[in-house]
Amino acid sequence: MNQTLEFFASRGYGVFPYIIIREMSGMYRQIPIHFSLQELLEREGVLVNLYDEEGDDTTKEKCLSILRSIIKSEPVITIKRNTKENWIFSGVRKIEGCVVFSPKRAIYLDSGGNIKSESESIPCGGSLISLCGETIITNSQHYNLLPLELR
């Protein structure tokens, strides 16, 4: 099923913060992060529970915690559209990824869930795929998917 960039943007893709899982060389899976159950139910991605009084450090830690759970194959609250396509990674494959907080900030975790690096360089290019395995965009940035006039 081919979807438009508008469709993916409406589902929460391309909005900071988000998770990137490196599936293989040149292929990245984006997982939108949502901070309320209502937002998650209307879109697609994972839930990070936040309370009003929590600041940036707590948000960062909770986002990293969700990525650690995904890396370790632990359950997380996830919503995705009904599709026959599933996660590409399976078996004993070592999963690595990052939480992208802005165009110049990402925190990378290794396959053990440990911080590998904090970087001003974020993943871009290659093939960006959705939770359902659909190609979102190729050889472009992974955020702000729509042109300014459509945002």
Side-chain angles (χ1 to χ4, degrees):
M1 173 189 302
N2 290 330
Q3 302 290 356
T4 65
L5 285 178
E6 237 177 295
F7 172 82
F8 288 112
S10 74
R11 294 286 187 245
Y13 291 94
V15 177
F16 298 112
Y18 55 80
I19 292 171
I20 291 286
I21 301 293
R22 184 177 180 268
E23 294 288 343
M24 62 183 70
S25 180
M27 182 179 287
Y28 304 93
R29 182 179 306 273
Q30 188 173 109
I31 305 171
I33 295 173
H34 302 290
F35 297 107
S36 75
L37 186 56
Q38 184 61 38
E39 187 177 296
L40 180 65
L41 291 172
E42 294 170 357
R43 296 189 175 173
E44 192 164 285
V46 295
L47 178 64
V48 172
N49 276 319
L50 282 184
Y51 302 100
D52 291 338
E53 66 277 358
E54 294 178 322
D56 290 344
D57 287 341
T58 302
T59 301
K60 177 183 97 171
E61 287 308 315
K62 285 188 172 186
C63 289
L64 290 172
S65 178
I66 291 292
L67 176 55
R68 279 188 193 96
S69 293
I70 291 169
I71 287 172
K72 295 176 179 183
S73 298
E74 297 171 352
V76 295
I77 299 174
T78 305
I79 298 279
K80 67 179 186 172
R81 286 169 284 119
N82 192 12
T83 177
K84 293 180 186 206
E85 180 91 25
N86 213 334
W87 301 92
I88 289 177
F89 52 78
S90 62
V92 294
R93 181 176 165 261
K94 292 184 177 184
I95 302 166
E96 293 186 345
C98 66
V99 178
V100 181
F101 292 97
S102 73
K104 293 194 178 261
R105 183 168 178 238
I107 299 177
Y108 291 81
L109 300 185
D110 64 19
S111 61
N114 304 304
I115 293 179
K116 191 169 156 179
S117 68
E118 292 193 40
S119 178
E120 290 184 4
S121 176
I122 68 171
C124 70
S127 292
L128 182 65
I129 61 173
S130 72
L131 274 170
C132 299
E134 301 155 307
T135 299
I136 298 171
I137 197 166
T138 55
N139 299 321
S140 189
Q141 66 186 19
H142 296 175
Y143 62 94
N144 292 343
L145 299 174
L146 297 175
L148 285 174
E149 62 271 8
L150 294 177
R151 283 187 221 156

